[in-house]
């Protein structure tokens, strides 16, 4: 558990990665309090003036033209929370909910939402007590905000719904007791401020980004080992080639490969070989992986901006004594960023699968067939490559862009939506698939390098190989294969390979 003083609108990717990884003790920077309270005062002033403002004293969506009398305003806010809590499916993980809650607090605390400090502090107490609302994963189209997920979040403040506490499901009221809270009566606009926003989509997308960053690092490492195992050429990684391309992400990626492949006995052993060019899965790694890095860098920029955005509606501008209705809840930027990350995750896996296929083919790699001695008696990596192919193929289907789809909702009032929540949510399963592919490549490439003994690979890659061998021994004969893949997969997902590729390609570390 780590302490964080939240300065609204200034969350970094490094902080966000840590928030999703471990519990947090959250506090608010004192200089944001005045603006929060001023926005609340503006809402009450507008009501006192008898002005009709969407979401404050009107219905919602297609019912926006229905004026709600003052005596019903508290019931209005309670009703929107309960009626909109209509999600389905498996629950979000505690890590996802923690990230979602902090994103919501960050947005509300910027002081444009007209919500009382008391309500923001209640959300903070849930976070600090590790009391996480039960939020179904499905039910949002990413506009008008992530309504259903955020409604489930908000039910707990009312003493309704359910929570997860240290993995145990409890009632919302029990969750409030643990956090030292009592059920809250929401004031004007507060229910809508809680429900409007892109925090569910953004939380899923950020988790996809962090997973993709770890996959990228693991793929650079595994791909470098495959170059060594297959006696691949170093020339495709020469800085001069990539400098003239002008693509900075490619330049940086090639540098990461050169760092890992910085001289080895294996390299020396085939300097005079007659091979002219390697297959693309080896030779074009900087080009393909550089393009993936470019997508991840763009997504990182978009998601950091969205994480610090005010994305509810309407918004309160105290300096002008005005409340404006707009559409910051529309999560199209998140949807497109997630779609681009899906392409990168799929391509990282697709390229790795091709390297696995190369290594098990003795005609191409000059290694024992299927990377095992006594082939025929032993099948070696034959079906492990089939598994990798299956995962890569599945990711191709999942990579279809979600943002190009739209179904009108709310009786056509919300006639174009982003589908950002699904766009981002599917990244988790895609990342898990690619982690499985990279696990197989890590095993296969280390197996291939071991077959080159007594020659050694580079110093850094020898360290990587030893990390794997501490978990998985050399595959000398057929054995139960699945546990080996699972152990290698955990290494891929741990993020430790980021330590080997240099800071030039880091996003959130």
């Amino acid at each position: 558990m780590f302490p964080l003083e939240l300065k609204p609108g200034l969350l970094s990717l490094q902080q966000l990665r840590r928030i999703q990884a471990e519990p947090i003790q959250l506090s608010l920077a004192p200089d944001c309090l005045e603006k929060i309270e001023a926005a609340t005062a503006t809402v009450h002033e507008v009501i006192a003036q008898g002005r009709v403002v969407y979401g404050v004293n009107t219905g919602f969506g297609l019912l926006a033209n229905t004026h709600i009398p003052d005596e019903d305003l508290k019931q209005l806010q309670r009703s929107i929370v309960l009626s909109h809590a209509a999600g389905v499916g498996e629950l979000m993980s505690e890590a996802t909910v923690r990230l979602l809650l902090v994103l919501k607090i960050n947005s509300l605390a910027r002081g444009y939402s007209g919500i009382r400090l008391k309500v923001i502090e209640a959300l903070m107490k849930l976070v600090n007590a590790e009391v996480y609302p039960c939020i179904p994963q499905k039910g949002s189209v990413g506009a008008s905000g992530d309504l259903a997920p955020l409604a489930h979040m908000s039910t707990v403040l009312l003493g309704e719904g359910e929570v997860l506490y240290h993995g145990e499901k409890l009632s919302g009221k029990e969750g409030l007791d643990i956090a030292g809270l009592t059920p809250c009566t929401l004031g004007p606009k507060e229910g809508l401020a809680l429900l409007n926003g892109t925090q569910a989509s953004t939380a899923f997308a950020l988790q996809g980004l962090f997973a993709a960053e770890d996959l990228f690092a693991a793929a650079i490492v595994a791909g470098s080992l495959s170059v060594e195992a297959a006696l691949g050429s170093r020339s495709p990684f020469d800085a001069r080639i990539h400098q003239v391309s002008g693509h900075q992400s490619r330049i940086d990626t090639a540098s990461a490969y050169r760092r890992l492949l910085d001289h080895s006995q294996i390299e020396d052993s085939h300097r005079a070989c007659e091979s002219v060019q390697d297959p693309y899965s080896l030779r074009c790694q900087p080009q393909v992986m550089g393009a993936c890095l470019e997508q991840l860098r763009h997504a990182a920029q978009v998601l950091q901006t969205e994480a610090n955005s005010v994305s509810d509606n309407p918004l309160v501008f105290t300096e002008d004594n005005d409340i404006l209705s707009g559409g910051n809840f529309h999560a199209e930027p998140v949807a497109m960023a997630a779609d681009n990350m899906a392409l990168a995750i799929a391509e990282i896996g697709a390229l790795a699968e091709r390297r696995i296929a190369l290594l098990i083919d003795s005609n191409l790699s000059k290694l024992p067939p299927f990377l095992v001695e006594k082939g025929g008696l032993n099948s070696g990596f034959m079906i492990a490559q089939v598994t990798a192919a299956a995962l890569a193929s599945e990711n191709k289907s999942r990579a279809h862009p979600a943002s190009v789809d739209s179904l009108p909702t709310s009786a056509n009032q919300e006639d174009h939506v982003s589908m950002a929540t699904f766009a981002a949510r599917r990244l988790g399963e895609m990342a898990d698939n690619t982690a499985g592919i990279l696990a197989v490549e890590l095993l296969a490439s280390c197996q291939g390098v071991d077959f080159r003994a007594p020659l050694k690979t580079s110093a850094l890659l020898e360290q990587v190989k030893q990390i794997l061998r501490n978990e998985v021994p050399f595959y000398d004969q057929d054995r139960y294969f699945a546990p080996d893949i699972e152990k290698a997969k955990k290494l891929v997902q741990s993020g430790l390979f980021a330590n080997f590729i240099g800071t030039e390609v880091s996003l959130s570390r």
Side-chain angles (χ1 to χ4, degrees):
M1 184 175 291
F2 75 102
L4 175 65
E5 182 183 73
L6 179 63
K7 298 177 181 178
L10 296 176
L11 280 171
S12 68
L13 288 175
Q14 290 76 14
Q15 289 171 327
L16 291 163
R17 177 185 266 274
R18 193 169 179 187
I19 289 165
Q20 70 98 36
E22 61 181 296
I24 178 176
Q25 281 293 311
L26 196 62
S27 61
L28 277 181
D31 57 3
C32 74
L33 305 183
E34 183 179 347
K35 194 162 187 177
I36 294 170
E37 291 167 349
T40 304
T42 297
V43 171
H44 288 280
E45 186 176 342
V46 164
I47 294 171
Q49 293 171 353
R51 291 161 56 185
V52 177
V53 178
Y54 170 70
V56 176
N57 48 16
T58 73
F60 308 104
L62 192 65
L63 305 176
N65 294 323
T66 303
H67 178 257
I68 308 297
D70 291 356
E71 61 268 23
D72 291 334
L73 294 185
K74 290 181 180 179
Q75 181 60 40
L76 174 69
Q77 300 303 315
R78 179 180 176 83
S79 294
I80 189 177
V81 171
L82 298 177
S83 67
H84 285 44
V88 298
E90 295 182 8
L91 297 180
M92 294 182 187
S93 70
E94 292 187 3
T96 307
V97 176
R98 180 172 55 248
L99 188 53
L100 177 154
L101 283 166
V102 174
L103 291 173
K104 192 64 189 178
I105 292 164
N106 186 44
S107 178
L108 295 175
R110 287 193 58 187
Y112 293 96
S113 301
I115 192 168
R116 287 170 297 163
L117 177 61
K118 174 185 176 181
V119 181
I120 298 173
E121 289 176 335
L123 291 174
M124 292 171 56
K125 286 183 178 180
L126 293 177
V127 171
N128 293 343
E130 300 179 56
V131 174
Y132 303 118
C134 290
I135 304 177
Q137 294 186 11
K138 299 179 181 181
S140 174
V141 295
S144 159
D146 292 316
L147 293 171
L150 294 174
H152 282 276
M153 174 199 78
S154 305
T155 57
V156 177
L157 297 178
L158 307 181
E160 303 280 354
E162 294 177 310
V163 302
L164 289 174
Y165 179 65
H166 296 173
E168 183 181 2
K169 186 183 288 188
L170 303 171
S171 71
K173 181 62 172 63
E174 289 173 309
L176 290 182
D177 291 341
I178 292 169
L181 293 165
T182 57
C184 180
T185 300
L186 298 177
K189 194 189 176 297
E190 290 181 337
L192 187 60
L194 289 166
L195 269 57
N196 253 188
T198 63
Q199 286 77 33
S201 299
T202 306
F204 277 131
L206 283 167
Q207 289 185 301
L209 174 68
F210 302 145
E213 184 180 8
D214 293 340
L215 296 174
F216 179 86
I220 297 287
V221 169
S224 297
L225 281 163
S226 290
V227 169
E228 288 285 74
L231 304 181
S233 172
R234 295 296 206 277
S235 65
F237 308 97
D238 192 297
R240 292 168 293 180
I241 293 174
H242 305 288
Q243 198 64 43
V244 298
S245 78
H247 292 285
Q248 190 60 49
S249 292
R250 183 187 304 177
I251 292 167
D252 295 339
T253 300
S255 175
Y257 281 103
R258 289 196 302 276
R259 171 186 169 89
L260 288 164
L261 292 166
D262 183 28
H263 187 67
S264 75
Q265 293 176 357
I266 294 176
E267 175 192 11
D268 290 341
S269 73
H270 62 95
R271 285 187 185 277
C273 71
E274 297 180 357
S275 177
V276 178
Q277 291 191 132
D278 295 326
Y280 289 176
S281 61
L282 296 180
R283 190 190 348 154
C284 296
Q285 287 185 82
Q287 287 79 6
V288 177
M289 295 297 289
C292 293
L293 179 60
E294 186 71 19
Q295 299 309 310
L296 297 181
R297 282 176 166 172
H298 173 68
Q301 181 181 19
V302 170
L303 294 178
Q304 184 174 2
T305 298
E306 191 65 30
N308 289 295
S309 175
V310 181
S311 59
D312 62 290
N313 180 63
L315 298 179
V316 182
F317 296 91
T318 56
E319 57 274 19
D320 303 314
N321 193 34
D322 213 350
I323 302 179
L324 300 179
S325 184
N328 282 4
F329 53 70
H330 201 297
E332 193 80 357
V334 178
M336 288 188 172
D339 282 343
N340 289 339
M341 284 193 288
L343 295 176
I345 291 169
E347 282 296 87
I348 290 169
L351 193 66
E353 185 279 324
R354 288 292 80 205
R355 292 191 296 268
I356 298 166
L358 183 155
L359 291 176
I360 66 173
D361 186 340
S362 59
N363 294 315
L364 293 172
S365 67
K366 309 306 178 187
L367 291 165
F370 301 107
L371 299 174
V372 70
E373 295 170 337
K374 297 182 180 179
L377 174 63
N378 293 309
S379 296
F381 281 70
M382 180 187 297
I383 303 304
Q385 185 270 328
V386 173
T387 295
L391 296 173
S393 181
E394 183 176 314
N395 272 357
K396 291 177 186 179
S397 296
R398 291 185 178 275
H400 185 278
S403 59
V404 298
D405 187 24
S406 178
L407 282 174
T409 60
S410 192
N412 285 309
Q413 171 74 6
E414 297 157 6
D415 58 349
H416 180 277
V417 298
S418 70
M419 298 298 176
T421 323
F422 168 67
R425 177 168 53 83
R426 58 72 141 90
L427 297 177
E429 197 154 349
M430 292 186 67
D432 190 72
N433 286 343
T434 293
I437 298 169
L438 291 172
V440 175
E441 186 189 8
L442 189 62
L443 293 167
S445 58
C446 285
Q447 183 84 355
V449 169
D450 279 340
F451 273 121
R452 302 299 181 189
L455 301 176
K456 292 185 178 294
T457 182
S458 71
L460 282 177
L461 292 178
E462 282 291 335
Q463 290 180 39
V464 171
K465 186 162 71 71
Q466 188 57 51
I467 289 171
L468 178 71
R469 287 290 172 247
N470 289 341
E471 301 294 329
V472 181
F474 178 78
Y475 197 91
D476 56 349
Q477 62 182 9
D478 281 348
R479 60 174 183 256
Y480 185 24
F481 211 135
D484 291 1
I485 297 174
E486 190 59 32
K487 289 174 182 176
K489 184 177 174 183
K490 287 181 178 178
L491 292 177
V492 169
Q493 294 173 321
S494 72
L496 70 86
F497 294 122
N499 300 322
F500 290 90
I501 64 172
T503 58
E504 298 93 339
V505 291
S506 177
L507 298 172
S508 67
R509 293 188 179 276

